[in-house]
Amino acid sequence: MTLAQQNVAKPPSKALVFGTVLFYMVAALSMVMANKWVLNTTSAPLFFLLAQLFVAIVLFLGAHTVGLIQIPLRLDLDVCKGLVPMVALNVVGLSASNYTLKFVDASFYQVARGLVLPFTVCTSYIVLHSRPSLRILFSCSIVTLGFFVGVFLDAIPMSLVGVSFGVASSVITALHSVVIKKALDVVKGSAMDLSWYTNLLSAGVLIPLMLVMGELPEVKKLFFPPEQAVVVPHARLGLLGTFLWGSLIAGVLGFMMSLASLLSIKVTSPITHMVSSAVRGVAGAVLGMWVFGDVLSTGRTSSIAIILSGSIYYTWIKHVESQQAASSPAKSGYDRIPLEEVEAGKTVGLNGKPTPE
């Protein structure tokens, strides 16, 4: 859409913008809490992800049946081949996100995945040859500083395994923002078809991957728990009940977020999107403390604040530079990946999931 077309188009109502942002925030926070709730009771994060995908697939089919959406029920082999990189990144990225949340506190999850922005800018430069400005690099350095503050200067012991998975997840998310552009071309620009294909194909990939990773004994424990199984304090429903309810909640929320993310990109500006992400990050840390008893130390709080400050500064700089490029297109030397597209990529790809945020 050109700048002239944007000016002519009727802006979305404040109520629609507020409703979209509020729903997306609540759904994303609820998904993180639901994921952590289940992952505290099981050591089968891949099977948990598979269960969520199954719920999303059923919901896709149901929505198609009632006419809410239209998806291709007959799979195109050429499309499936073209989506191999997309599906591979989604499976690895979401698996890494689940493992991150398995090993770190809910309040620390944002810190563990705090390098998404710097990796995205680097990926944009390497793959798309998008040369960032010095102010963009400065914003990335602020975010990186916040990550190192949380990892190395926090007094609370943390899992280096969880942090490593968080870094890996950040790298995959950055690569995903590039691959999704090509994946959309494969499905002729239909984000809904892309979401449907990646859900279905990723579920197929996760089944053998789950077996290779040795999760079968843990799955067996879910359905046939040993008599002396330890009951987690907040797993009052039992291991299987917690797993099933958590999978249902996360799957439903993920499906709804995959729809809401499309609307979010259309009705919200990048600044609104980033501010809502910042609020969501703070709320997630507070909820982690309230629901799971996480400790918010000075180092952890400072880390979150620095990461959010750098992200907001990036969004402001990106907005200023885009305005300058629009007024003088001849001076625009590169096309950076908008951060809101990174967020959309995480949700459009696999049932809107965190990747919990």
Side-chain angles (χ1 to χ4, degrees):
M1 180 179 291
T2 64
L3 185 61
Q5 289 174 321
Q6 290 177 344
N7 291 334
V8 173
K10 183 179 179 181
S13 66
K14 293 182 179 179
L16 179 59
V17 173
F18 178 78
T20 301
V21 171
L22 181 61
F23 169 77
Y24 201 87
M25 286 179 57
V26 172
L29 286 171
S30 300
M31 177 169 284
V32 172
M33 297 301 116
N35 284 344
K36 186 60 178 176
W37 178 46
V38 174
L39 291 172
N40 277 346
T41 66
T42 179
S43 296
L46 296 183
F47 182 64
F48 178 44
L49 179 57
L50 177 63
Q52 293 179 55
L53 292 178
F54 177 76
V55 172
I57 290 171
V58 171
L59 290 174
F60 266 104
L61 292 174
H64 175 82
T65 301
V66 300
L68 181 61
I69 61 174
Q70 293 297 318
I71 55 175
L73 297 181
R74 180 176 296 179
L75 298 182
D76 188 319
L77 185 59
D78 292 333
V79 172
C80 293
K81 290 180 180 179
L83 293 180
V84 167
M86 175 77 173
V87 173
L89 283 178
N90 268 309
V91 171
V92 175
L94 291 178
S95 299
S97 294
N98 263 13
Y99 277 110
T100 303
L101 199 56
K102 172 66 181 176
F103 289 108
V104 303
D105 296 339
S107 61
F108 190 75
Y109 179 76
Q110 181 172 345
V111 177
R113 297 190 71 253
L115 293 179
V116 171
L117 174 59
F119 282 137
T120 300
V121 174
C122 290
T123 301
S124 179
Y125 174 69
I126 295 172
V127 178
L128 302 179
H129 307 291
S130 302
R131 189 173 183 178
S133 65
L134 290 178
R135 292 186 294 180
I136 291 294
L137 293 177
F138 180 63
S139 68
C140 291
S141 67
I142 295 175
V143 173
T144 305
L145 173 63
F147 172 80
F148 283 113
V149 167
V151 172
F152 295 107
L153 300 182
D154 190 12
I156 303 176
M158 69 193 69
S159 170
L160 291 180
V161 174
V163 173
S164 299
F165 275 118
V167 173
S169 177
S170 300
V171 174
I172 297 300
T173 300
L175 292 173
H176 187 281
S177 64
V178 175
V179 172
I180 193 174
K181 295 176 181 293
K182 299 180 180 178
L184 282 170
D185 292 336
V186 175
V187 294
K188 300 180 181 179
S190 174
M192 192 56 62
D193 286 0
L194 180 60
S195 184
W196 161 247
Y197 268 104
T198 48
N199 270 281
L200 191 61
L201 297 177
S202 296
V205 172
L206 275 172
I207 294 175
L209 182 60
M210 179 188 68
L211 299 177
V212 171
M213 294 300 293
E215 289 193 1
L216 194 58
E218 294 298 328
V219 174
K220 184 179 179 181
K221 288 181 183 178
L222 283 173
F223 293 93
F224 307 101
E227 295 181 0
Q228 62 271 36
V230 178
V231 179
V232 179
H234 46 266
R236 298 176 183 176
L237 297 174
L239 296 179
L240 183 58
T242 300
F243 181 87
L244 293 177
W245 275 108
S247 299
L248 179 62
I249 293 171
V252 171
L253 288 173
F255 172 75
M256 296 177 69
M257 286 175 62
S258 67
L259 302 179
S261 63
L262 304 177
L263 180 62
S264 177
I265 297 302
K266 292 180 180 179
V267 305
T268 63
S269 66
I271 292 180
T272 301
H273 185 85
M274 179 49 64
V275 170
S276 66
S277 297
V279 174
R280 191 169 71 233
V282 174
V286 174
L287 279 176
M289 177 181 63
W290 179 53
V291 177
F292 301 110
D294 296 350
V295 178
L296 284 180
S297 64
T298 302
R300 185 169 296 186
T301 304
S302 300
S303 174
I304 294 173
I306 294 172
I307 290 174
L308 293 180
S309 298
S311 300
I312 293 174
Y313 179 64
Y314 167 87
T315 306
W316 180 72
I317 292 300
K318 183 67 175 65
H319 174 72
V320 171
E321 292 184 354
S322 64
Q323 293 294 319
Q324 293 174 347
S327 60
S328 180
K331 296 181 181 180
S332 178
Y334 60 95
D335 178 24
R336 289 184 292 277
I337 301 175
L339 190 59
E340 66 271 18
E341 288 190 15
V342 178
E343 296 287 340
K346 291 186 290 183
T347 55
V348 168
L350 279 178
N351 78 345
K353 187 180 180 303
T355 103
E357 288 288 336

